[in-house]
Amino acid sequence: MRELISNIIIFIGISFIALGIIGIYRFTNFYSRALVASKVDTVGYITIVIGVMIRHGFSYFTMKVFFILLITLIINPLITHSIVRSAFISGYKLRKE
Amino acid sequence: MTFAVVALIIFSFLSAFRVLIGPTLWDRLLGLNLVTSKLIIIIILMACIRMESFLLDMALVYALLSFIGIIFISIYIQRKGRF
Amino acid sequence: MLELTLLLLVILSIAALQTRSLRNAVIYLGVFSLAISFVYLLYHAPDVAIAEAVIGSTIATILYLVALQKYKIFTIYYRLQESEIEDTHYFSRYKLQLVKSLEKFCTKQELEAQIIYSLEELDDILTKHQYALIIEEHEEFISIYAHHENYMLDKLEFFLDNEPSFIRPYRIVKMEEIEGEVLE
């Protein structure tokens, strides 16, 4: 039963990541690409890791996975912010609407 | 589970293709970030399949190291070649 | 899945050797070292994979960047019209040719070209930013604006005259002259 639930959750996470991959090829502007890639990717990451944690129950393994999830939740937005900030300061300007 | 690993490898291949064709330098950096995050998920899933918990230490090392590398490159570009 | 990763390794290493811009090569090498450490992991050698990730992805990247500080950055602003900033216009044939020949010039002079596609007005770029060249495209010719003390300008003119693949007419405007009266 627990394996079935975790398989479904992991599949949902993979479909989120697939949406992000479609997004980085569909959009033609850099900023919209950065937005869709980072957001959708972070959501997929959290979902897959929660699926893995449900599969293993309460154990040492789950604690380690939870620690990785915590670190990546802090680091991933920081990386995207630094890339986009570097692009904006160096003169990659947004198109005016 | 094996299906998930194969799908993620195909996705990271597509992200690496964005690194190759990206018109500007920042697109390439974005692709590098995507490849790293997908690689961390692949390692977690492989640790789950093989039931070897020391692979998770590798995932931790990857997460911290990619942070340092990408932050250094983006600061280098932002200040036009100086740290 | 091992074959797919090995194919990616071949493509990335060829791209890192073939590119003209050294900063692109640093990013290609970062992806390369990540991929090769994953291959080590598939071969059941996680300790080697950790060493490769630490050395190849972090320390080598920072060392390359510190070494690249010796190269001067040659900042080129490329003025675009508002409708042109979409991705497909980056790959238009004339633009690609001009950018490629400029990068060839910078590689010959041991400079690192940074090309910025910008929408700002010419006066804004002149006053706010530090520039080496500003390129503006018109219907039948290209105008290249440069600071009057730019000592690379004669070499650039000589290079563009002798470049066989660059055939479009162009004119070079030195920026001190444009303040008083425009000299053609």
Side-chain angles (χ1 to χ4, degrees):
Chain A
M1 187 64 200
R2 227 166 48 190
E3 280 204 4
L4 183 67
I5 295 175
S6 79
N7 277 346
I8 291 172
I9 291 179
I10 288 174
F11 187 74
I12 292 173
I14 284 179
S15 53
F16 272 126
I17 293 181
L19 287 180
I21 292 293
I22 293 172
I24 64 169
Y25 283 100
R26 286 281 296 184
F27 284 100
T28 52
N29 201 349
F30 168 72
Y31 293 104
S32 33
R33 253 190 319 247
L35 178 77
V36 68
S38 74
K39 296 300 176 294
V40 175
D41 233 26
T42 310
V43 170
Y45 189 91
I46 296 169
T47 319
I48 287 180
V49 169
I50 285 176
V52 171
M53 280 160 69
I54 286 177
R55 192 188 186 89
H56 276 268
F58 194 77
S59 68
Y60 183 62
F61 192 90
T62 311
M63 195 200 72
K64 262 187 174 176
V65 171
F66 182 71
F67 194 55
I68 296 172
L69 175 65
L70 214 62
I71 284 184
T72 317
L73 275 187
I74 300 170
I75 280 177
N76 227 354
L78 272 179
I79 289 178
T80 312
H81 171 79
S82 105
I83 293 173
V84 176
R85 185 168 184 269
S86 143
F88 187 75
I89 289 180
S90 313
Y92 195 129
K93 289 292 181 284
L94 192 60
R95 186 163 80 161
K96 286 174 200 138
E97 294 295 334
Chain B
M1 288 295 268
T2 318
F3 165 74
V5 174
V6 173
L8 281 171
I9 287 179
I10 293 172
F11 290 156
S12 59
F13 196 83
L14 288 173
S15 314
F17 199 64
R18 186 82 240 179
V19 176
L20 287 174
I21 66 168
T24 59
L25 204 54
W26 302 290
D27 284 302
R28 294 170 213 271
L29 274 179
L30 199 66
L32 180 57
N33 183 19
L34 289 181
V35 171
T36 315
S37 72
K38 281 173 188 58
L39 205 59
I40 294 169
I41 305 175
I42 290 172
I43 290 173
I44 291 176
L45 285 179
M46 281 180 69
C48 188
I49 290 174
R50 290 190 195 167
M51 282 309 294
E52 293 168 342
S53 76
F54 63 87
L55 286 181
L56 293 176
D57 300 335
M58 265 193 71
L60 207 61
V61 170
Y62 271 43
L64 294 172
L65 288 183
S66 75
F67 175 68
I68 298 174
I70 295 178
I71 291 279
F72 259 88
I73 298 177
S74 67
I75 286 178
Y76 172 82
I77 296 167
Q78 178 187 325
R79 302 200 178 151
K80 299 220 173 76
R82 294 175 303 277
F83 279 118
Chain C
M1 57 197 190
L2 182 61
E3 288 83 7
L4 210 57
T5 321
L6 290 176
L7 189 66
L8 180 65
L9 283 180
V10 174
I11 295 173
L12 279 172
S13 51
I14 290 175
L17 284 178
Q18 284 295 320
T19 180
R20 283 198 186 280
S21 167
L22 289 175
R23 292 182 294 175
N24 286 352
V26 171
I27 297 176
Y28 292 153
L29 282 182
V31 184
F32 177 84
S33 68
L34 280 177
I36 205 170
S37 70
F38 182 63
V39 171
Y40 289 148
L41 185 65
L42 288 182
Y43 282 139
H44 293 270
D47 41 356
V48 187
I50 286 183
E52 172 64 33
V54 171
I55 295 170
S57 173
T58 312
I59 298 177
T61 304
I62 294 173
L63 275 181
Y64 283 138
L65 289 181
V66 170
L68 277 185
Q69 280 183 323
K70 286 241 169 193
Y71 270 59
K72 299 260 189 317
I73 303 282
F74 197 67
T75 317
I76 300 168
Y77 280 87
Y78 204 125
R79 274 208 65 213
L80 296 172
Q81 303 304 317
E82 282 212 13
S83 56
E84 286 180 328
I85 198 106
E86 300 283 334
D87 254 6
T88 50
H89 291 274
Y90 286 113
F91 298 113
S92 120
R93 197 161 56 89
Y94 291 122
K95 241 175 236 150
L96 212 61
Q97 204 183 54
L98 175 64
V99 166
K100 261 191 185 158
S101 48
L102 277 176
E103 279 179 351
K104 206 167 160 188
F105 169 73
C106 290
T107 313
K108 252 183 196 170
Q109 301 292 331
E110 297 196 342
L111 295 165
E112 180 78 31
Q114 179 172 23
I115 295 168
I116 296 172
Y117 297 92
S118 171
L119 280 177
E120 291 177 78
E121 294 297 319
L122 192 58
D123 299 333
D124 283 345
I125 299 178
L126 289 178
T127 50
K128 281 181 195 164
H129 300 290
Q130 287 188 331
Y131 61 95
L133 292 178
I134 301 172
I135 296 171
E136 202 174 16
E137 210 165 329
H138 300 288
E139 290 284 327
E140 63 273 359
F141 60 90
I142 302 168
S143 49
I144 299 175
Y145 300 94
H147 197 261
H148 63 281
E149 285 174 350
N150 194 340
Y151 60 96
M152 283 293 165
L153 213 55
D154 298 333
K155 288 177 191 167
L156 178 66
E157 206 168 349
F158 181 73
F159 176 81
L160 287 183
D161 286 338
N162 290 330
E163 177 76 16
S165 67
F166 184 74
I167 43 170
R168 301 189 69 197
Y170 67 96
R171 58 165 197 174
I172 289 180
V173 183
K174 296 190 180 184
M175 276 326 289
E176 202 189 30
E177 300 162 357
I178 212 167
E179 284 172 2
E181 52 183 7
V182 179
L183 298 178
E184 294 289 315

